[in-house]
């Protein structure tokens, strides 16, 4: 099966971006192509067409390829719940919870899942562009590796190594990574891509010549730094959004330790009249018109973090002065009276008192709800489309005042005065009409909203154009046997 794997010298070297760009380039040439990430560790996820859960960046790569996201594209997804443990999701469904040592021992079994998913994709597509995770040179994790070279060796595919020159030390990154690989792994590394270059390429060329002479491997491309490129991020969270010249609405989001699906806020980052700020630990909480409590993979632990950071008092003061609060998924659960987790599905078993801003209680249950769904905002009636990924079920009088209607059923809750809102729906701001309606509730009336779907398509085409210009696509196609 023609498979090419893109690996990186570090996390955030640009692997996800290069894979997305290659998927779009090949799809524009009429190639049936699918992305594949054997193992991913991320808290940003998406619901697939087959009712599973995969990393958000892999879903974006499927969009770039013009195909529906499928759980086979990311067969192992790890969602961290603490520094030492994670929820393990295999081919879209929860397998259980494991600490790092247990999962390391489990990788031999997980490899069978990876290979089965790859074989299933191979039967449906002509080409697979696979993405590594972190760095292939993590020598402490080499045993039973399924994320990088272990997978590449198993399917006998070529590898292209990406280094980020914007961080500095790109030649050390590339050469050092090669030095830590085995002889067979070095042989299957067929070339380099240097990412995020800005400046005069003539000043870089002597270094490129040295790199090729020293390693005997070609530099397949030097990709420019694409200023302002905003695509669904895997992990990284900038603590400030794009600053507007004259912000009409100030939105503040706590950067929870286990924040999930922070790409919910990408439309607000892009909005010309919204100033979006993520507030990290030990930072003052700025004045705001709207505070949004985001999703969380460890809701009770993140609620305790909020309290320790002074957010509970700040939210109550914010509401007294006429501000509004919106909770999404885990943030919605925090707004209630209690969160019960008797089986310890998200951490130590027990219960935590919520913020008490909505009269409801949440119980964590073993089954996870995964669905793409649409409906309408209430009372505006404008259409809204998004997805649900949660284990908690909420009950209480507050649900009698629903936030929206999804698939014909009431969902979410709104306080009697309308200033506190909560919903399980991710992607609330993705549709321009729904985004405009929600911002109008907070005082930003008669302002245009961003069409996120159109923005994604334009950014993917911009990325693909850059790869067509700066990457040796003919060499890529030869690696794929085309």
């Amino acid at each position: 099966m023609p498979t090419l794997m893109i690996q990186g010298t570090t996390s955030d070297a640009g692997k996800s971006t290069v894979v997305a760009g290659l998927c779009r380039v090949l799809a524009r040439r009429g190639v049936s192509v699918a992305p594949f990430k054997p193992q991913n560790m991320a808290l940003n996820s998406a619901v697939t067409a087959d009712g599973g859960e995969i990393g958000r960046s892999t879903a974006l790569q499927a969009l770039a390829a013009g195909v529906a996201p499928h759980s086979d594209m990311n067969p192992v997804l790890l969602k961290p719940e603490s520094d030492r443990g994670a929820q393990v999701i295999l081919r879209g469904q929860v397998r259980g919870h494991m600490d790092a040592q247990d999962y390391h021992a489990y990788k031999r079994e997980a490899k069978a899942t990876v290979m089965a998913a790859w074989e299933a994709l191979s039967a449906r597509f002509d080409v697979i562009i696979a993405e590594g995770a972190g760095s292939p040179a993590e020598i402490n994790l080499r045993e039973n590796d399924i994320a990088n070279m272990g997978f590449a060796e198993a399917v006998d595919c070529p590898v292209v190594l990406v280094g980020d020159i914007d961080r500095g030390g790109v030649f050390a990154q590339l050469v050092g990574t090669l030095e830590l690989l085995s002889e067979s792994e070095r042989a299957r590394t067929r070339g380099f891509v240097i990412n995020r270059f800005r400046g005069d390429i003539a000043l870089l060329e002597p270094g490129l010549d040295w790199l090729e002479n020293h390693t005997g491997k070609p530099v397949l491309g030097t990709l420019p730094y694409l200023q302002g490129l905003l695509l669904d991020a895997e992990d990284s969270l900038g603590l400030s959004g794009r600053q507007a010249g004259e912000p009409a609405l100030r939105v503040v989001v706590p950067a929870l330790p286990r924040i999930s699906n922070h790409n919910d806020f990408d439309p607000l980052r892009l909005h010309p009249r919204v100033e979006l700020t993520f507030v990290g630990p030990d930072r003052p909480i700025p004045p705001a018109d709207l505070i949004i409590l985001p999703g969380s993979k460890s809701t009770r632990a993140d609620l305790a973090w909020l309290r320790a950071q002074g957010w509970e008092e700040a939210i109550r003061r914010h509401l007294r002065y006429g501000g509004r609060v919106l909770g999404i998924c885990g943030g919605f659960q925090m707004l209630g009276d209690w969160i019960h987790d008797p089986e310890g599905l998200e951490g130590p078993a027990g219960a935590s008192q919520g913020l008490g801003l909505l009269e409801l209680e949440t119980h964590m249950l073993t089954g996870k709800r995964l669905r793409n769904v649409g409906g309408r905002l209430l009372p505006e009636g404008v259409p809204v489309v998004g997805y649900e990924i949660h284990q908690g079920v909420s009950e209480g009088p507050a649900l009698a005042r629903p936030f929206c209607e999804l698939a014909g059923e009431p969902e979410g809750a709104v306080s009697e005065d309308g200033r506190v809102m909560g919903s399980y729906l991710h992607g609330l701001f993705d549709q321009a009409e729904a985004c405009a309606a929600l911002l109008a509730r907070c005082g930003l009336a008669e302002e245009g909203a961003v069409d996120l779907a159109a923005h994604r398509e334009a950014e993917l085409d911009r990325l693909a154009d850059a790869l067509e210009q700066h990457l040796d696509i003919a060499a890529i196609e030869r690696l794929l046997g085309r």
Side-chain angles (χ1 to χ4, degrees), residues 358-376:
L358 291 173
E359 195 176 354
L360 57 86
E361 296 189 9
T362 298
H363 294 263
M364 297 297 179
L365 303 179
T366 302
K368 179 182 280 193
R369 182 161 201 172
L370 298 168
R371 67 169 180 167
N372 294 305
V373 66
R376 61 192 182 98

Side-chain angles (χ1 to χ4, degrees), residues 71 87 99 111 120 135 167 176 192 249 273 278 290 299 318 335 363 402 449:
S71 57
Q87 184 181 67
D99 63 26
K111 186 174 183 177
S135 164
R167 296 184 176 196
F192 307 116
L249 192 77
R273 301 301 305 281
F278 290 93
L290 171 65
T299 307
H318 167 79
L335 295 174
H363 294 263

Side-chain angles (χ1 to χ4, degrees), residues 428-480:
L428 282 172
F429 299 103
D430 287 6
Q431 306 297 312
E433 193 174 1
C435 181
L438 288 170
L439 296 181
R441 291 188 192 184
C442 303
L444 187 62
E446 299 179 3
E447 294 284 351
V450 174
D451 184 336
L452 188 63
H455 172 81
R456 280 193 184 111
E457 288 293 335
E459 291 287 78
L460 286 169
D461 282 333
R462 177 187 171 205
L463 174 61
D465 290 344
L467 264 63
E468 292 268 19
Q469 182 178 354
H470 299 281
L471 189 63
D472 188 345
I473 300 297
I476 296 296
E477 292 198 309
R478 286 194 296 273
L479 291 175
L480 287 166

Side-chain angles (χ1 to χ4, degrees), residues 180-213:
L180 292 174
L181 300 180
S182 70
E183 184 176 346
S184 64
E185 292 166 350
R186 281 195 295 271
R188 75 175 55 259
T189 303
R190 306 294 289 276
F192 307 116
V193 171
I194 292 179
N195 192 33
R196 300 190 183 111
F197 176 73
R198 30 185 159 189
D200 186 347
I201 190 67
L203 296 176
L204 183 64
E205 286 173 349
L208 303 182
D209 293 339
W210 177 91
L211 181 64
E212 292 186 341
N213 291 330

